[in-house]
Amino acid sequence: MDKLKVAILIVSDTASQDPASDRTANALAPILAAEDKWETPAVRIVPDNVFEIQRAVCEWSDDSVNWYNLILLSGGTGFAIKDNTPEAVSPLIHRHAPGLVHGMIAASLKVTPFAMMSRPVAGVRDKSLIITLPGSPKGAVENLEAVVKLLPHACLQSAGANSRNMHAAGIKSLEADAGVSSGTHSNSHTTLQKQPSLCSHHHGPGHVAPKAHTSSNRQQSNDPSAASIPPEPIIIESPVNTAIVGSVVAEDVYAAESVPAYKASIVDGYAVIAPDSTNNAPSTKGVFPVASVNHANVGGSLNPLQQGTIARITTGAPLPPNANAVVMVEDTDLVSSTPDGTEEATVDILTGDIKPGENVREPGSDVRLGEKILARGDVISSVGGEVGLLASTGIRTVKVFKKPTIGVLTQETNSSNTTTRAL
Ligand SMILES: Nc1nc2c(c(=O)[nH]1)N[C@H]1C(S)=C(S)[C@@H](COP(=O)(O)OP(=O)(O)OC[C@H]3O[C@@H](n4cnc5c(N)ncnc54)[C@H](O)[C@@H]3O)O[C@H]1N2
Ligand code: MOO
């Protein structure tokens, strides 16, 4: 097969002034030479200048005769103010190749965490594969080594090779051809199997004529899918139950009830009428008859508490009307029981220092009636308590966006069997 054409663009202010200071091109060349699939690289040096970088890349990719299969750029990929190689290259790319970027960074991270200091981009412009590498010879070498075995395959496909034929023998065969294996990168240099010779210097049958660099003739803007507009979401009324989990709320939701909906005790003890300026009640200290028992499971109406009596109450239970505080059971002594021995008849309250509101949770102290509890766009999750919040604030149904039905269209250029099914 003809060898693939490769060009190296050194992006460096220093090297552009003193070409002898460039050590990276000479460090990269042997890696390519070892593969035996590449011509001797063309090398050019430009300063950290967007226009000069773009002019070189376009010259190498857009010339219908002397276009290059692979364009490597080195330098200007970091975070320094002058580093603008990714910004120069990104707009020139027609089809991005994040897999190559991941491959380079993943491999480099095994060498140094500073691999994160490079911002590489990779992708295809017309038929040319473009990859940016860090500037230092070491960094550039480590990045190129991570992907070099895969580059002939990528370049052949970018140049228009029949993908179906290339993949006919399966991934293992492709790995063997590339000299790599699953999980590890082998260092053996296996030559490619006989492939259609698509990397010749003349213009291949499908190669696009050189274009001016305007956004209007970019491949992406010709993509019909770019014009498609997502449909308006459909809003449905959904009952509040576990089936609603995963839905997105379509309108703000306001509490239909307070939480708690009534004055509730926060301890086990006795509901009392504590003296305040309005009720003239006597001190809570002393022995009182127990009028009733209020359990947390609310139901039925409660008899108002009369002055001079107390009512046994459990945690979470509603206070009877007139009661304004709860004395915890630890501050009381049982004096006498009912004749059948099942309930307390009289109880000694040991403290007179009980204030109105003590051990009481006021209505709406958790959620006020009418308070916004969920906003349009909120997700009803299985772990965030949204279902419980809706149910406890009296919301029985809620407007949500209908979940989208997603279909996957699998498409093969060479196949007449195109199938779709809803997921
Ligand atoms: N696999 C690795 N990845 C990265 C490394 C690494 O060591 N291994 N280094 C990381 C660091 S640190 C940085 S920073 C970035 C480099 O990003 P840049 O592309 O911006 O590199 P430059 O700033 O242009 O150059 C860095 C440094 O290297 C020397 N240099 C640059 N060009 C040349 C040249 N042509 N010949 C000789 N030496 C050169 C010079 O000292 C520059 O100051 O990459 C991370 N990734
Ligand atoms: O900024 Mo890197 O971190 O040049 O050494």
Side-chain angles (χ1 to χ4, degrees):
M1 62 174 274
D2 287 347
K3 288 190 174 176
L4 299 160
K5 288 189 69 178
V6 52
I8 299 174
L9 187 67
I10 300 297
V11 182
S12 161
D13 287 342
T14 315
S16 71
Q17 283 163 15
D18 174 15
S21 69
D22 167 41
R23 289 185 292 112
T24 303
N26 284 341
L28 295 176
I31 299 169
L32 297 164
E35 297 296 311
D36 203 26
K37 289 167 187 167
W38 305 95
E39 288 187 358
T40 305
V43 178
R44 192 182 294 180
I45 302 175
V46 293
D48 289 282
N49 175 292
V50 170
F51 179 70
E52 295 212 35
I53 295 168
Q54 291 185 332
R55 193 168 55 182
V57 170
C58 291
E59 226 173 82
W60 283 334
S61 58
D62 294 6
D63 188 306
S64 59
V65 178
N66 290 311
W67 61 280
Y68 285 78
N69 296 93
L70 177 63
I71 300 168
L72 297 172
L73 297 93
S74 169
T77 68
F79 287 79
I81 305 290
K82 67 168 182 57
D83 292 331
N84 52 31
T85 303
E87 287 63 42
V89 171
S90 287
L92 303 181
I93 287 177
H94 294 149
R95 296 183 293 138
H96 282 269
L100 292 175
V101 172
H102 282 290
M104 291 194 294
I105 292 185
S108 293
L109 282 173
K110 290 183 184 147
V111 182
T112 170
F114 274 84
M116 287 184 261
M117 295 298 105
S118 181
R119 304 175 295 119
V121 294
V124 176
R125 176 175 178 82
D126 287 345
K127 292 184 172 186
S128 302
L129 177 60
I130 307 169
I131 301 175
T132 69
L133 305 168
S136 71
K138 173 180 173 293
V141 163
E142 286 163 359
N143 277 263
L144 180 59
E145 278 178 337
V147 294
V148 71
K149 302 266 181 214
L150 284 305
L151 298 184
H153 186 91
C155 286
L156 288 169
Q157 281 196 298
S158 302
N162 185 315
S163 158
R164 206 173 176 78
N165 292 349
M166 286 177 82
H167 293 102
I171 190 73
K172 290 286 168 213
S173 161
L174 285 174
E175 288 178 357
D177 285 348
V180 296
S181 58
S182 314
T184 56
H185 290 250
S186 134
N187 285 323
S188 67
H189 299 142
T190 321
T191 44
L192 276 177
Q193 275 181 346
K194 290 260 178 299
Q195 297 284 1
S197 178
L198 289 155
C199 47
S200 55
H201 303 176
H202 61 78
H203 204 188
H207 193 54
V208 199
K211 301 172 190 170
H213 301 139
T214 62
S215 60
S216 60
N217 62 10
R218 290 279 144 71
Q219 193 163 332
Q220 280 151 331
S221 52
N222 293 335
D223 180 353
S225 67
S228 68
I229 299 161
E232 279 298 306
I234 299 166
I235 294 172
I236 54 171
E237 185 112 20
S238 190
V240 175
N241 55 37
T242 50
I244 204 175
V245 166
S247 297
V248 176
V249 175
E251 64 178 22
D252 295 350
V253 182
Y254 299 90
E257 290 171 10
S258 311
V259 179
Y262 44 81
K263 283 187 180 201
S265 175
I266 60 171
V267 293
D268 288 346
Y270 294 90
V272 298
I273 303 171
D276 66 14
S277 56
T278 61
N279 64 10
N280 251 340
S283 165
T284 55
K285 190 167 165 42
V287 177
F288 294 91
V290 178
S292 60
V293 179
N294 291 343
H295 292 297
N297 50 338
V298 190
S301 58
L302 296 168
N303 293 326
L305 193 64
Q306 304 300 318
Q307 268 198 11
T309 66
I310 59 175
R312 204 176 90 201
I313 193 164
T314 53
T315 304
L319 266 67
N322 297 341
N324 61 5
V326 177
V327 182
M328 64 174 75
V329 74
E330 290 84 345
D331 290 336
T332 66
D333 272 342
L334 176 64
V335 177
S336 66
S337 298
T338 51
D340 61 6
T342 57
E343 304 283 355
E344 54 269 50
T346 53
V347 163
D348 188 3
I349 294 186
L350 307 173
T351 172
D353 192 21
I354 299 292
K355 312 234 163 6
E358 198 157 326
N359 295 325
V360 173
R361 207 154 50 106
E362 288 298 319
S365 56
D366 285 355
V367 182
R368 278 176 292 106
L369 176 67
E371 183 179 336
K372 192 202 276 192
I373 53 167
L374 289 177
R376 178 185 156 96
D378 283 350
V379 177
I380 300 177
S381 70
S382 60
V383 291
E386 291 85 0
V387 176
L389 180 62
L390 288 164
S392 65
T393 52
I395 308 293
R396 302 287 167 258
T397 63
V398 65
K399 289 202 167 73
V400 297
F401 294 113
K402 187 171 179 292
K403 290 179 187 168
T405 308
I406 299 172
V408 176
L409 173 67
T410 55
Q411 199 177 350
E412 280 185 82
T413 327
N414 297 331
S415 169
S416 56
N417 299 331
T418 303
T419 54
T420 54
R421 71 185 165 85
L423 289 174

